[in-house]
Structure formats: structure tokens, C-alpha cells
């Protein structure tokens, strides 16, 4: 059974007690903690809605982030608006704190688009499915920022399994050599689909940083306060010209890898139970209860979450399939004769049948 | 005899190969307890242990590169790449090492390894999960590239591929994983007199006289459906299942085209630079005076694999194939 | 006017591009103080500093991947891959990211970047230094793939490529680096009215009426030599320099073949699945009734690039081209 | 100017004084040191002969190993015959100690072959030009050895620049996870062609090992005694089931990257002078002189080296170009119809001219 190591940076225990840490502290009011809790709940709800929509056939797939909300909300809330995010495919919490419309995220999983949002609108890049690729983009983006004289941090996310891709270590090398203001966030949810940490690494991931010449920290990824503190510190480190940082958020994927996955094949119920007790929402709730948070606070969140859910459900059903024209657009920035030719041919071809018909057009399966 | 899906047929083939030769080692992300994302290796780790069914770290170049090292020592690694779109991180190892080692070592090093890749679209997956990269491998001398189109071939070909001394890219048509067929599991595939000698032969999947349809992997079934539909319209289509892309069994195709004089090649990959181009060019050269129409091609388009909800428009289907057949007939 | 080698012409083109747009950044192993192994970037780091002429860590995926990140921010990275055989570690970034980003982002992200690759053989180099991987890129939608055949084109095309919004694979025929030509450096290439609008046009390098030779990059010169030799034997060969492989300027080729009825495509890469296959298939389809002979192909062979001391037998040369021309004439 | 750091593991100073090290010691007689010196000299001579042959047009290219002899001879001499080597392209010293005929090595650089020797004859794999590729082969080979119950070490070599390739870090990951008996030898000769260390890394390479869960050492790579001691220890570590080790041999490439290179473009003469005084041969000579080694010992080496040189010069000129048939052989282990067809066609084609003629056949260019 995979349990939590005891050398994690922690500011809030899973029993909901605030604790101190020698290197990291957080000056935060209870109201601010409530605001973090609100985000945790909204993200949880977003995730649950998406899972439900997948079950109803509205999405082809969903990659749940349940259990990782604190890691993501902590990382996301510590960002400044000028910072930029290069996510993997499970960063729904950071998408949320960045202001990306959850419906846009779902387009990718519904299969109506390979993207779905404008990366520059919220400084939140497209989800990246090929493991590790985005880490290099983050470094290059940060290198360009240095050339522009900007003091912005760039966040990039990957998983415990993903840490092994050559691209990730090359990103470490480049970030180190160019002193790029990149914060590498590894959400170690202890599984790469079915493969537990011991099949992926011999030493904790955060230790790799030192060999590439920059600091690495291991944080209790289920502790939103610790995450906020360490990420704030790390972005500031990056912004102030000290170079990259690696943060390993030690967490646990409470759900399945994706809705196509069957985690009962590779992990035991009691392990999941152990981690449910360490749920990132639960501990904040325990704390908030201990400081006399009124029920109305929770009720208000419930109302907001329900409103979001309504928006998501309606929005997803309205996500239209691409038209034939859309399908052929944007292969290139400038016209390409072969694309134009095939576009023409397919248009003529479908005209025989009165235009391209979508098997999904009737409104889902 | 057992009725099995293609996924199960490959599973049984792998099991047989592992029993036959204890140097056979399976390596691939999540192929152990999970049995692979398509369950093709279901139960094999429980049966053979985690030294023979290996869940490696998440790094495709690492998987293929270590497999090369194992093969250098006489082991027979069978690598599973989880999806087509994730083979590219291993591309360097495949093109520069797997393909070239036998040649570079003047035959001293034999890399008997198989790289299994579920490929192609049609299952409504998100991006990078529906690609058809076969042309990138067929252009690379030193590799053999094969693809079964049905459970029986899948069962036999995987065993023959594992027994073969050359490195083989084994493309599994993922949307056909759930197709079923009767498999005769009482015969030892490798003990049949021919061993792997027919592994690279094309197969006439359906005889016909008007137009030859050439396909492999997922599109063979689609072509057979098209041929059945065409029959109703009085057209007789011959369907050739290539089974192997390199070597390419040109004789079987030439024989068919000599009869029909017309040919349509079908694949999911984009037409431009696809395998169909080579087939068209080669057959046209051989059968220049026989061809009554140019070789036509039905394929995916020149774009990244599009969003799943429009893949039906991207992928060749029965109608598009018959449309091209009609065009070929009009010449 | 100046008489320059192709290497120097590209150098001058790069310098102009860097002066024109300060977002142009060169990245590549040893391109700084050393000036690159072929000295193509000679003097540029001294002139523009090491923030604009970057000697990155030795990791091709890292180089291309960080270039993508820079391009996402509106910079125009020009990557040099040291040799053709070393582009494969970056293949994943090129195929899955560089090629697809504009599409995936619905046009929100424009990756204006150039990947320069010295390619092809003929310089007596050791393994991995003489490859012709163009077909691996042309099959990948989202990329443009071009190759100059002479110093003048090299000078102009590199500047146009850098100014172009799409990612471009720029294949430099390394054995032609030392070829010389007069370059008019008084005209600003990008201020000519057409800008980069003719970048993807093929060029009739020599007019003729009997057979069309189609080539690109290093083989254009060889074809011109063959055409000159054929003239002595009373044969009139038209030579087309494609310049761009994708887009492929089919009209120029069709026009020529409509006149000659015969075509030979020449490239160094292996024939099987090479760019010649697509050209042959496409032209045959368009010009089916015009062709008096099948499209013939002269190319490298289906093997890893062989040891340098036999590359002369591997590479198409004047004799092999004329041999195929004769075959085409015999039909 | 790049100078030597002072935290290197050293047993023999560049002045030729033996010193002790807290963690590594070497029980060695002066005669054994003489035997090492002999190898250093033979390798130096081999290298010089090859350079001369390249200048005479007999080789297309040569990658000198001058300056790195101690790193290589130390690593090579510490091997057992059952160990296996996966070299890069500059390991002439290890080829030598492994017993590979120098002439075979030169075939690759003459351009008569892409290989040149049987990897299994001396347990010395083919040179690998694509940076980093061989490290993964080493790990896989070692993994297979474990399955066979062998207690053999596997050595793989790469350079300071090469350490950045994704393949190398992936090799670290796999070796760590599978406890593979691999010794990673990074010869840090301070340059990757023209790029000095500071353009390749932010922290010393040997430090990377820890992040992947195994020990890393940094040795004075110009000190053959230290190399022998650390490599012996490392192989034994691997053989005894403790897993991989990374050894960074800090050295200096005294020559050019290859004969095509012009190092004056990127490094200063005084740097080279500094390192010439740290020449790995010189310090052993200084030591041997201090223990009264007779001149006859040096004379004998000179005679042996001259004999080898004669062998090399004659052998290289005899290295025949491949025939057309050889060119078509071994693309596959089993017949492939397309190769056979092209073989047939080319044979017929050349028969028009009385067979394939080699432009080199007359004995060089
Ligand atoms: C290059 C590549 N290989 C394989 C996959 C298939 N795949 C998707 S997610 C995944 C596991 C990722 O695990 P981890 O990095 O720990 O991230 P997590 O999913 O746990 O967040 C795999 C193997 C992929 N997307 N990309
Ligand atoms: C993948 C790859 N990229 C580029 C090259 C070209 N190249 C050959 S050697 C070299 C520098 C290697 O430096 P280092 O790893 O320090 O080894 P050294 O040559 O100094 O021994 C380069 C860039 C190559 N062989 N392989
Ligand atoms: Mg994980
Ligand atoms: Mg070096």
C-alpha cells in the first residue's frame, strides 16, 4: 500500500491542524483559506460533472483530477496574471484558477476540438497529451521572456510517470543552463495509469533538480496551504532571476486515470480509503470547522457550484461538431494548395449527399 | 477451436510465444496488472511474472532502447507502444538503431524484436490516439512492417513475427480489436511446416474481376464491406489484404491488377506520401500497359488527425471507396 | 553582386533576416564561435551576440522543443540540426508539436520557425551523416518542406522561409555547400513585391522536350549534368527543380509532362516510400492518358546509408539517370 | 580558461606524486603502473597514427582521444573479460584494452564499413555515433544479464555534451528502477565540439546520479590510478547487485574534436598549455621516473608502439571497399524481396560497365 512519506513540506495536517515549517510559512487569514476552499470545491464539482457527462455519453473521455485539487489550486492561486502555464492534460484546477471556461476544457474530451481555448487569453496553454512535450515549450517560452526583459514565471506540469520522459530532463538542462524562470510542477499522484512509483523511479523525483543545478522541493500536495506557500516562493525565485525550481507535489489520484481506466485492477480499496482520509478538501473543511465557519459559507459554495454545473451541462451539449470547412481550416497559417484541393474535393463529395452529416448531429449518443 | 476477439487472439498468440521461448519478454506501459489499455496482455503478468511481462518507466525511447540491448543478448523483446501517437519519442532508436544494427554489425547482431503498435482511428479517441504512421516505418530499410486485418491473422502473425529474426513493426488495427473469429488453437502455429515463411504474403480476401481494392489492417474490413455492397450494383471487386507493407508482396497485387486493370488503394493515413503512393507507383511501373485507369487512392487527409467528432469524414468509408471505384470504372 | 558559395549565401541570408527582424534567433549545436560544422553561421554570433545565436545543450528534442516555446511568444527561431541523421531525437517534437500546433490551437498559435538540416550524401562522411529523411516530413501535414538547389535560391529561400508564418523544414544539400554563384545582395529579398509568395514554386531549370527529369536539392545539379550529356546523344531533357516538396507544385510538373509524356524522378533517399513515389502516383493520376511511359525513379537503395566508400554506387549519378531516361524512351 | 576543479578524486597528482583519498585506494605495484603506462603510450600512438593516416587521405575522418587515455585505460583495465562495453565513438583506449584490433576501428573512419568488428568477440560493442543511444542498449543488455543470473558489469560511455540527451537520462531511470549492473562513464573532456561545459550544464554531471537513486563520483580523469580504483569499485558495485553507478571522468580533449574540427576557433592556446602539463601520460612518466624506471622500459614501449604503427598503416591500406554484393548483404537477417530485387538490378546495371568500379580502388584518393 502506498502511504505518505513523512518528509513532506506541510502547513496543514490531514486532521486540519495548522503546523509550521522551518523554511516555508504562509501569512494567511481564515477568509483567504475559505476562498481557497471555495476553489477546491468548485474544481471538485467541475470534475464530478465531467465524469457524469462522460457516463452519459456526452464526453468521449474524462481525465479526473480528484484528489489533486490542492496541488492545482495552490499552484494556480500563487500565479500572477502575467505568468504563463504549460499544462499536461489533467490540470483542470489550474485551468479553473486561470479563468478558463470549464466548457472549453470539455471540448477536447468531447472530441469537438483538439484544443478548445485561446492560450493567450488566460495565459494558459493548450492541454498536452504527449507526455513531457510541454515542459520544453515552457522553457523556450521563458527563454523568450528573458529576451524581452520580462519578469514573469512560467509554470509547467507533468506527472510522476512523465518525469521519466527524455523531454523532461532536457527541459531541466535547458532551464538550468539558461536560468529560465520556469517552475516545474510534478504532481506525483503515485500512479502512471497502473504503474506505481516504484516502477518509475528509484529516488524521489524532487531530488533530480539538484543534479541539474536548481532547487527541488517535495510538498504535501494535498495541503493547499503548503502548496500555495511553496509555489509562491518558487515563482518568486523564478521571477527574481534565480532560475528554475522543481516542486514535487506528493498527492494521490483518488479517481481513475481516465474514465476508460479500471483502477481496481491495480490497487487495493484500503489504499484508496487511506487517501480518502487525506482528501485535500476534507482537511481544509476540518480546519474551517475548527475556526467556526458558518454553514452559510458552505451553502453559498453549493449554490455557486450548482450554477457552474448547469452552465457546464448546457454548454457541453451546445459544443458543436466542427463543420467540414472548420476541419480543413488552420492546418497552415497560409493557404496550402493540397489542403485546398482536398477541401474542395471533400466538399464536392459530400454535396452528393447534401453535405457532410455528423453521426452526432442529433445531439449526442 | 475458440471464438475470440482480435485482442484475445493476440493475447493467446503472445502466450504461446512466451511458452515456446523463454527469451520472449513483453515490455510496455501498463501491460502488467492492467493488461494494457486494450487488455491485449491481460493475465500474462500473473502467468509469467514481472520479469517477463514488464511495466517499464514511462519513456518510449527508453523502452525501445533497452529492448535493443536485450535483443543484443539474444532475448526477444516484444514492445507495446500504448498508442500510435506515442511512438515518436522512440523514433530515433527505431530508425537509427533497431533498423540499422544488423547491417552495421555485418550480421553479427541480430535484433529479433517486435514493436506492437495499436494504430489508426475510428474509436472516437482524443488527439494522438488515432494516427497511422506506417509510411514512416516502411521507408526505413531494416524494418519489416506488418498488420493483421482479422483475429486469425493476428493470432498467427504475432507468433510468426516473434519467431522471426528481424525487427518487426506490428501494427494492430485498434478499431478491430473487438472483431471476432474462430481460432484453431489446437495447431502449433510455428510447428506448421512453413513456420513464418508466409508471414509476408498478401492474401486475396475476396475475388473479383472489375476493380482491385488494396488495403491492410483496419481498412480490409471496410473494403470487404464495399465489395459486398458493390456486388449489389453489379460490380465485382477483388480485395487484397496486404498483411505486410515491407516486404510488399507485389506479385499478388500484379496478378490481380493484370486481371482487373483497375486498382484503388485504401488507407487511413494521409494520401500525400502514404503507403498508397508507393503501391501506386510500383504497380503502375509494372503494369503500365495493363492499367485501364490510374491507381486511385482513398485515404485520410492532409491535416493532423482531426477532432474525433469528425473522424467519420476523415476516414475512408464504404461510400468513399465506392465513389473511387466508380471513378476508376469511368476511365 | 558577389560570388558566393551556397554556405556563404545562406550565411548572408541569415544575416539579412536577423537584421530585418530582431525576433529571429538562431539555435544549433556549435553554430556560435565555430560557425557550425559547415560554417554556415560563421561570424553571426560575433555580430549578433549569444542571445541571438545560441549554442544550446546537446539535445535535439530540447532544441526544437524550446524553439517551439519561443515561437509561441512570437519569436522566430531558426534551428540548425547538425546533420540529417540527428534530427530523429527531435522527431516527436516536430511531428506532434511543431506540425500540429497551429491546427490544435485553431490558429491562435502561429509557429513561425525554420528547421535547417544539411542533408544527403556525397561527402564521404561516416554513418548517420548522409541521410535523406525528407519523406518523413512531407507525409506530416502542418510542415512545409523545401530545399534549394543552388546558392541564389538558398539565399532567397532562407529569408523567405524565416519570414513565413508556418513551420518550415529547410533541407540544405550539404554536398552543394561549396557550389558558387553570383548573388545580387543589393536587393532586399523580402521587399521584392512578391515577398515569399513564390517560395513554393517549382522552377524549370532547363527546358527540353523528350523526357522530364524531376529533382530537388542535391540532385538538381546531377540532373542538369545528365541533361547536358544527353544533348550530345540527341536527347532533349527538361529538368524541373521542385524547390518545395510540400506544397508540391504539381502544375509545373504537369505542364512539363504534358509536353514530354515521360518522366524520371531522382532523389537520394531510398525509392520505397520516397518522395518520388508520391510524385509518380500523383502525376500518373493527373496525366494518365498523356504518359507514354510509366514514371521511373532513380534513387538510393533500400538499405541503411552504406559505408562512404561505396556511396558512389548508392547515389544516383549521371549514368544511372541516363540509363532510366533510355528506359523511359524505350516505352 | 577551463581549469581543473579541486574536488576530484585523485591518487596521482599531475606532478607525479601519489596521494591518498579517503574513499578510494589502490593497492598497486610499480610494475603494474608501468603496465598501465604502456597502455597509455600504445593508445597515444594509435591515436597519432590514425591522425596521420587521415592527413594522408587514408581515413575520411578521425576522432582523436588524446588527453583522455587515462580515463579510458583506467576504465578498460578495470573490466573483467565477462563485462561488456557500449562505447561512443572515441573510446579507442577501451577498444585497445579490450583487445580490438586498431585496424578494425579504423574501418569505420576510412569509410569501408559502418561497423568493423564483432561486438561479441571482445565484448566490445560497435561505436555509436548518435549521441546517447548506446546508454539504453547498455541498460537493456544488463537487464538481460540479470535475467540470465549473470554477475557481469556493463560499461557505457558518453561525453559531457552527450549527458544532456534524453536517452541518457532515460537510461539512468531504467538502470535505477531495474537495479541494472551498469557503470555510466561520462568522459567530461569539457567540450562538446566547440561548446564548453558552461553551455551544457549548470551543475557537475556526476551530481545527476543521486536524483536517479544511485551513486555518482567525479574523478580526475587524467589520473589513471584514480580511474582504475574508482572504476574497479564501480564495476564491483554493479556486479554485486547494488545497481548502477555514474562516474564522471574530468579530463580534457587535447586534440581537435575530429580531424574536421578547428579548435582554435573556440579555445585559447594557454588553456591547452595548462592541460598539456596535466597530460595523463606525463604524470605517470613523472612518477615512474621518480621510482627509477630504466630507460630500457621506455625503449621497449617505443619498439612495441612502432610495430603496432606498422601494423596499422599496412592494415588500413588493405581495408578493402565493400563489393556491391557486400553492400546489399545484411540489411536483413532473412531475405527481403525488395533488397534482392535492387541487388539484382544494380548488378545488371553495373555489368554494362564491367562491374562496379570503386573510385578508391586504385589505393586511395
Ligand atoms: C509519450 C506518451 N506515452 C504514453 C502516453 C499514454 N499515457 C497517457 S497518460 C499516461 C500516464 C501518465 O502518468 P503520469 O505522468 O504519472 O501522469 P498522471 O496521468 O498520473 O497525471 C500514459 C502512459 C502518452 N500520453 N504520451
Ligand atoms: C544526436 C546527435 N546529435 C549531434 C551529433 C553531432 N555530434 C557529434 S559529436 C558531438 C559533440 C559531442 O560532445 P560530447 O558528448 O562532449 O563528447 P566528445 O565528442 O567531447 O567526446 C556532436 C554534437 C551526434 N553525433 N548525435
Ligand atoms: Mg501520475
Ligand atoms: Mg566532450
Amino acid at each position: 500500500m502506498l502511504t505518505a512519506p513523512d518528509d513532506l513540506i506541510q502547513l496543514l495536517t490531514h486532521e486540519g491542524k495548522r503546523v509550521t515549517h522551518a523554511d516555508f510559512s504562509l501569512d494567511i487569514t481564515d477568509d483567504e483559506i475559505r476562498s481557497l476552499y471555495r476553489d477546491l470545491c468548485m474544481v471538485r464539482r467541475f470534475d464530478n460533472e465531467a465524469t457524469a457527462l462522460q457516463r452519459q455519453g456526452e464526453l468521449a473521455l474524462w481525465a479526473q483530477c480528484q484528489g489533486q485539487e490542492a496541488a492545482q489550486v495552490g499552484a494556480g492561486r500563487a500565479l500572477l496574471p502575467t505568468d504563463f502555464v504549460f499544462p499536461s492534460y489533467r490540470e483542470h484546477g489550474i485551468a479553473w484558477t486561470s479563468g478558463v471556461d470549464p466548457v472549453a476544457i470539455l471540448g477536447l474530451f468531447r472530441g469537438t476540438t483538439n484544443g478548445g481555448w485561446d492560450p493567450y487569453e488566460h495565459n494558459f496553454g493548450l492541454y498536452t497529451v504527449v507526455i513531457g512535450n510541454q515542459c520544453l515549450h515552457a522553457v523556450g517560452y521563458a527563454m523568450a521572456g528573458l529576451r524581452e526583459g520580462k519578469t514573469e514565471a512560467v509554470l509547467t506540469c507533468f506527472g510522476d510517470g512523465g518525469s521519466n520522459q527524455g523531454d523532461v530532463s532536457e527541459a531541466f538542462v535547458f532551464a538550468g543552463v539558461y536560468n529560465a524562470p520556469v517552475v516545474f510542477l510534478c504532481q506525483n499522484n503515485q500512479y502512471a495509469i497502473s504503474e506505481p512509483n516504484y516502477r518509475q523511479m528509484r529516488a524521489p523525483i524532487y531530488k533530480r533538480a539538484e543534479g541539474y543545478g536548481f532547487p527541488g522541493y517535495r510538498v504535501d500536495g494535498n495541503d493547499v496551504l503548503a502548496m500555495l506557500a511553496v509555489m509562491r516562493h518558487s515563482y518568486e525565485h523564478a521571477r527574481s532571476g534565480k532560475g528554475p525550481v522543481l516542486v514535487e507535489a506528493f498527492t494521490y489520484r483518488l479517481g481513475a486515470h481516465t474514465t476508460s481506466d479500471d483502477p481496481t485492477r491495480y490497487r487495493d480499496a484500503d489504499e484508496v480509503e487511506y487517501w480518502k482520509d487525506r482528501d485535500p478538501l476534507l482537511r481544509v473543511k476540518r480546519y474551517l470547522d475548527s475556526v467556526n465557519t458558518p454553514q452559510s459559507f458552505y451553502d453559498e459554495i453549493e449554490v455557486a457550484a450548482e450554477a457552474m454545473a448547469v452552465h457546464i451541462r448546457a454548454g457541453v451539449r451546445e459544443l458543436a461538431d466542427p463543420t467540414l470547412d472548420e476541419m480543413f481550416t488552420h492546418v497552415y497559417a497560409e493557404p496550402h494548395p493540397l489542403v485546398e484541393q482536398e477541401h474542395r474535393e471533400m466538399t464536392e463529395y459530400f454535396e452528393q449527399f447534401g453535405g457532410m452529416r455528423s453521426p452526432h448531429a442529433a445531439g449526442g449518443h | 477451436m475458440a471464438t475470440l476477439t482480435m485482442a484475445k487472439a493476440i493475447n493467446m498468440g503472445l502466450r504461446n510465444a512466451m511458452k515456446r521461448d523463454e527469451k520472449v519478454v513483453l515490455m510496455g506501459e501498463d501491460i502488467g496488472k492492467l493488461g494494457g489499455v486494450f487488455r491485449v496482455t491481460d493475465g500474462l503478468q500473473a502467468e509469467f511474472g514481472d520479469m517477463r511481462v514488464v511495466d517499464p518507466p514511462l519513456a518510449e525511447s527508453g523502452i525501445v532502447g533497452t529492448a535493443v540491448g536485450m535483443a543484443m543478448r539474444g532475448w526477444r523483446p516484444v514492445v507495446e507502444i500504448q498508442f500510435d501517437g506515442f511512438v515518436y519519442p522512440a523514433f530515433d532508436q527505431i530508425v537509427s538503431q533497431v533498423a540499422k544494427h544488423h547491417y552495421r554489425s555485418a550480421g553479427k547482431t541480430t535484433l529479433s524484436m517486435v514493436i506492437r503498435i495499436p494504430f489508426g482511428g475510428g474509436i472516437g479517441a482524443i488527439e494522438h490516439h488515432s494516427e497511422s504512421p506506417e509510411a514512416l516505418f516502411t521507408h526505413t530499410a531494416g524494418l519489416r512492417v506488418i498488420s493483421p486485418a482479422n483475429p486469425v491473422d493476428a493470432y498467427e502473425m504475432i507468433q510468426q513475427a516473434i519467431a522471426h529474426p528481424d525487427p518487426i513493426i506490428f501494427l494492430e488495427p485498434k478499431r478491430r480489436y473487438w472483431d471476432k473469429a474462430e481460432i484453431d488453437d489446437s495447431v502449433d502455429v510455428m510447428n506448421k511446416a512453413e513456420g513464418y515463411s508466409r508471414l509476408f504474403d498478401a492474401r486475396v480476401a475476396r475475388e473479383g474481376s472489375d476493380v482491385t481494392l488494396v488495403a491492410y489492417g483496419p481498412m480490409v474490413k471496410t473494403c470487404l464491406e464495399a465489395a459486398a455492397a458493390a456486388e449489389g450494383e453489379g460490380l465485382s471487386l477483388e480485395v487484397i489484404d496486404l498483411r505486410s507493407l515491407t516486404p510488399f508482396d507485389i506479385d499478388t497485387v500484379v496478378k490481380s491488377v493484370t486481371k482487373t486493370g483497375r486498382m484503388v488503394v485504401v488507407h487511413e493515413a494521409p494520401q500525400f506520401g502514404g503507403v498508397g503512393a508507393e503501391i501506386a507507383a510500383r504497380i503502375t511501373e509494372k503494369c503500365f500497359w495493363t492499367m485501364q485507369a490510374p491507381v486511385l487512392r482513398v485515404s485520410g487527409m492532409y491535416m493532423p488527425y482531426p477532432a474525433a467528432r469528425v473522424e467519420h469524414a476523415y476516414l475512408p468509408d464504404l461510400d468513399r471507396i465506392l465513389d473511387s471505384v466508380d471513378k476508376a470504372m469511368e476511365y
Side-chain angles (χ1 to χ4, degrees), chain A, chain B:
Chain A
M1 190 174 103
L2 304 176
T3 56
D6 46 22
D7 64 343
L8 302 177
I9 297 167
Q10 207 184 44
L11 296 177
L12 183 69
T13 70
H14 81 276
E15 297 94 351
K17 303 255 173 309
R18 289 196 60 178
V19 289
T20 57
H21 186 274
D23 300 328
F24 294 93
S25 61
L26 191 68
D27 195 13
I28 194 168
T29 65
D30 285 344
D31 268 347
E32 286 164 333
I33 297 178
R34 284 190 192 96
S35 154
L36 289 169
Y37 182 70
R38 187 178 196 279
D39 274 350
L40 295 174
C41 293
M42 295 299 277
V43 173
R44 174 71 51 95
R45 181 63 181 265
F46 168 19
D47 193 54
N48 284 338
E49 281 305 315
T51 304
L53 284 165
Q54 196 282 333
R55 301 242 159 85
Q56 294 157 28
E58 294 294 339
L59 301 180
L61 186 84
W62 180 241
Q64 296 166 270
C65 70
Q66 201 163 129
Q68 302 177 216
E69 292 92 346
Q72 299 191 3
V73 168
R77 289 283 295 264
L79 287 164
L80 295 184
T82 44
D83 298 333
F84 202 100
V85 183
F86 284 88
S88 163
Y89 44 80
R90 202 190 290 286
E91 273 67 69
H92 319 315
I94 306 180
W96 170 258
T97 63
S98 297
V100 179
D101 183 348
V103 173
I105 302 284
L106 297 181
L108 182 68
F109 293 92
R110 183 170 171 87
T112 55
T113 170
N114 288 341
W117 57 92
D118 178 348
Y120 306 102
E121 193 182 338
H122 300 283
N123 278 4
F124 187 84
L126 294 185
Y127 274 7
T128 301
V129 169
V130 184
I131 307 276
N133 281 182
Q134 72 281 4
C135 296
L136 284 165
H137 307 164
V139 176
Y141 191 88
M143 285 165 64
L146 286 180
R147 280 164 174 73
E148 294 169 18
K150 298 281 164 58
T151 52
E152 304 165 357
V154 179
L155 167 66
T156 186
C157 303
F158 56 98
D160 40 299
S163 69
N164 293 327
Q165 273 303 349
D167 270 14
V168 176
S169 68
E170 295 187 11
F172 291 169
V173 170
F174 278 69
V177 167
Y178 295 110
N179 200 39
V182 174
V183 178
F184 294 100
L185 173 61
C186 177
Q187 290 169 67
N188 181 354
N189 62 11
Q190 302 183 63
Y191 285 93
I193 308 188
S194 70
E195 298 193 31
N197 273 189
Y198 71 87
R199 293 213 186 272
Q200 299 282 350
M201 65 207 65
R202 188 185 174 107
I205 300 157
Y206 77 98
K207 291 204 169 175
R208 292 194 191 168
E210 201 190 328
Y212 294 90
F214 52 88
Y217 304 111
R218 182 148 79 157
V219 190
D220 182 340
N222 287 7
D223 171 357
V224 70
L225 302 187
M227 282 301 301
L228 189 69
V230 174
M231 294 304 288
R232 269 189 191 157
H233 165 85
S234 302
Y235 296 138
E236 203 37 46
H237 179 100
R239 287 186 210 108
S240 63
K242 297 194 194 125
V245 181
L246 168 61
V247 177
E248 175 183 350
F250 199 91
T251 177
Y252 191 81
R253 195 192 72 212
L254 285 174
H257 172 70
T258 66
T259 45
S260 301
D261 182 36
D262 175 8
T264 63
R265 284 183 163 246
Y266 54 80
R267 65 185 191 187
D268 294 334
D270 49 348
E271 181 180 293
V272 182
E273 280 316 306
Y274 170 91
W275 284 98
K276 276 200 174 139
D277 189 39
R278 276 151 186 82
D279 184 314
L281 277 65
L282 198 56
R283 70 178 69 183
V284 185
K285 174 113 186 355
R286 284 175 179 151
Y287 171 76
L288 289 180
D289 284 347
S290 77
V291 294
N292 297 326
T293 300
Q295 181 57 36
S296 60
F297 166 73
Y298 300 112
D299 293 345
E300 184 276 330
I301 294 180
E302 186 50 37
V303 170
E306 184 52 36
M308 175 187 67
V310 169
H311 165 71
I312 290 175
R313 288 192 296 261
V316 161
R317 291 195 173 86
E318 269 161 33
L319 283 172
D321 292 358
T323 62
L324 190 68
D325 290 344
E326 281 162 355
M327 185 175 153
F328 278 94
T329 313
H330 302 307
V331 181
Y332 293 89
E334 292 261 307
H336 187 294
L338 180 56
V339 177
E340 290 178 329
Q341 178 198 328
E342 292 187 348
H343 187 178
R344 219 162 38 234
E345 286 169 2
M346 288 306 288
T347 305
E348 282 165 22
Y349 168 77
F350 279 117
E351 269 164 11
Q352 301 175 53
F353 312 100
M356 179 179 91
R357 275 163 311 177
S358 163
H360 317 281
H365 356 198
Chain B
M1 298 293 274
T3 305
L4 297 181
T5 61
M6 180 183 286
K8 283 274 168 219
I10 299 172
N11 180 284
M12 199 160 78
L14 290 170
R15 177 178 283 111
N16 291 353
M18 294 187 76
K19 280 191 189 152
R20 194 176 290 125
D21 183 347
E22 58 177 31
K23 295 261 160 145
V24 174
V25 176
L26 313 191
M27 302 171 74
E29 293 157 11
D30 305 293
I31 68 169
K33 280 191 185 172
L34 188 64
V37 290
F38 291 106
R39 307 291 183 267
V40 169
T41 55
D42 193 24
L44 297 180
Q45 192 178 67
E47 184 170 343
F48 296 99
D50 67 358
M51 289 291 270
R52 303 236 4 239
V53 180
V54 181
D55 289 296
L58 205 173
E60 284 76 8
S61 189
I63 297 170
V64 172
T66 53
V68 167
M70 296 185 82
M72 282 180 174
R73 200 163 184 144
W75 289 70
R76 292 181 180 266
V78 180
V79 166
E80 174 176 309
I81 298 290
Q82 201 162 75
F83 284 90
D84 32 62
F86 309 138
V87 71
Y88 306 120
F91 201 71
D92 179 43
Q93 282 285 347
I94 295 175
V95 164
S96 296
Q97 299 297 334
V98 175
K100 296 189 170 73
H101 238 282
H102 192 264
Y103 191 68
R104 298 174 62 228
S105 71
K108 296 290 187 293
T109 305
T110 296
L111 297 186
S112 181
M113 58 190 283
V114 175
I115 300 178
R116 295 178 39 236
I117 313 177
F119 85 122
I123 64 161
I126 62 168
E127 52 173 359
H128 309 292
H129 289 72
S130 302
E131 307 197 353
S132 297
E134 61 272 19
L136 307 179
F137 299 114
T138 54
H139 186 48
T140 304
L143 303 175
R144 293 173 189 257
V145 181
I146 65 181
S147 182
N150 59 59
V152 176
D153 268 357
Y155 171 71
E156 298 196 359
M157 288 167 74
I158 188 65
Q159 295 181 67
Q160 295 166 349
I162 292 171
H164 198 279
D166 283 318
I168 296 182
I169 308 287
F170 191 84
L171 297 168
E172 302 177 0
K174 66 169 88 82
R175 67 157 120 169
R176 306 296 179 210
Y177 270 145
W178 301 275
D179 284 4
K180 285 187 182 166
E182 285 270 289
I183 310 259
D184 183 357
D185 51 357
S186 65
V187 198
D188 182 342
V189 167
M190 294 311 300
N191 271 355
K192 285 203 269 175
E194 66 262 27
Y196 52 68
S197 68
R198 315 208 64 78
L199 178 55
F200 307 105
D201 291 356
R203 183 177 68 94
V204 179
R206 177 189 172 111
E207 297 203 359
S209 52
D210 293 325
V211 177
T212 302
L213 296 183
V214 174
Y216 51 89
M219 284 293 109
V220 173
K221 188 176 182 185
T222 313
C223 286
L224 287 170
E225 287 165 0
E231 195 174 18
E233 299 171 26
L235 265 177
S236 166
L237 305 187
E238 177 142 315
V239 178
I240 296 184
D241 172 5
L242 286 181
R243 298 170 82 249
S244 171
L245 303 179
T246 171
F248 162 54
D249 177 1
I250 190 166
D251 294 341
T252 300
V253 181
V254 166
K255 199 173 149 205
S256 175
V257 170
T258 308
K259 177 170 66 177
T260 60
R262 292 180 166 85
M263 177 168 117
V264 175
V265 191
V266 186
H267 56 58
E268 294 188 12
Q271 182 178 105
F272 198 79
V275 165
E278 182 59 44
I279 299 174
R282 206 159 275 264
I283 294 299
T284 305
E285 189 179 335
K286 269 257 182 181
C287 307
F288 188 66
W289 299 118
T290 324
M291 299 304 294
Q292 292 168 46
V295 177
L296 299 182
R297 293 177 281 165
V298 185
S299 66
M301 281 136 230
Y302 204 55
M303 59 177 61
Y305 198 89
R309 304 269 285 202
V310 281
E311 66 177 342
H312 63 282
Y314 175 88
L315 292 168
D317 63 5
L318 194 147
D319 289 331
R320 273 176 61 208
I321 294 170
L322 293 179
D323 190 64
S324 277
V325 165
D326 288 346
K327 289 211 178 87
M329 290 303 293
E330 278 161 25
Y331 271 81

